[in-house]
Amino acid sequence: MRTSACCLLLAVATRPALAQQELLHNTSFEEVTDKGLPTGWAQYGGGVPESVLKIEATARTGKSAVRLTDTGPNERDNRYAIGVTQDVPAEGGQIYLLSVWAKAIARNHDQAMNLQLRFLPGDKLTNIALAPPIGGD
């Protein structure tokens, strides 16, 4: 059984490196829809009971965090993927700063958590592995 749980994207920011304007909405996850999702964010995956997204009152900063729990098997086929996603407008040729804070409660390998960037219109996908220490702050 695979157990991966984390408070992911707690302090997430995407902004042009020079302008310092926040491009993401609700980066502290303090605004929540009636469906329990952070306002401005969509759920990625999570269509099985082993994958759960919930808003937690324990946070590194602010009042809220997103907790992603995956207790699916070690053999992976994307059925157990869970996360949040948000489209961000960006201009080609510009430099952007992206930061994320993640906390791992448990995981079975260093590729268990990823920051995934999808560049449109070409649909180029880039995964950046996040491997915070277990139980670390």
Side-chain angles (χ1 to χ4, degrees):
M1 175 183 287
R2 170 190 161 138
T3 302
S4 294
C6 63
C7 297
L8 182 60
L9 300 173
L10 177 60
V12 96
T14 303
R15 60 189 78 169
L18 296 176
Q20 299 298 309
Q21 176 187 359
E22 182 62 62
L23 298 178
L24 288 171
H25 176 71
N26 191 21
T27 59
S28 65
F29 305 117
E30 293 180 11
E31 300 170 42
V32 180
T33 69
D34 57 355
K35 294 182 179 180
L37 291 173
T39 302
W41 295 85
Q43 182 171 323
Y44 171 86
V48 295
E50 294 87 355
S51 301
V52 178
L53 181 154
K54 93 183 216 190
I55 303 296
E56 293 280 323
T58 304
R60 180 172 178 248
T61 61
K63 296 185 254 179
S64 300
V66 171
R67 181 178 185 144
L68 306 170
T69 306
D70 168 359
T71 58
N74 288 337
E75 297 299 321
R76 310 307 286 174
D77 61 9
N78 283 336
R79 283 184 293 169
Y80 304 96
I82 183 79
V84 290
T85 182
Q86 187 174 131
D87 290 340
V88 177
E91 292 180 35
Q94 298 296 311
I95 297 173
Y96 292 85
L97 172 66
L98 175 68
S99 62
V100 61
W101 184 84
K103 178 179 179 178
I105 297 169
R107 71 173 169 272
N108 67 344
H109 61 84
D110 285 341
Q111 300 295 318
M113 285 192 275
N114 288 287
L115 173 64
Q116 189 176 82
L117 305 173
R118 183 177 305 270
F119 298 94
L120 301 174
D123 209 28
K124 181 182 179 205
L125 189 64
T126 301
N127 285 308
I128 303 164
L130 304 176
I134 302 297
D137 287 328

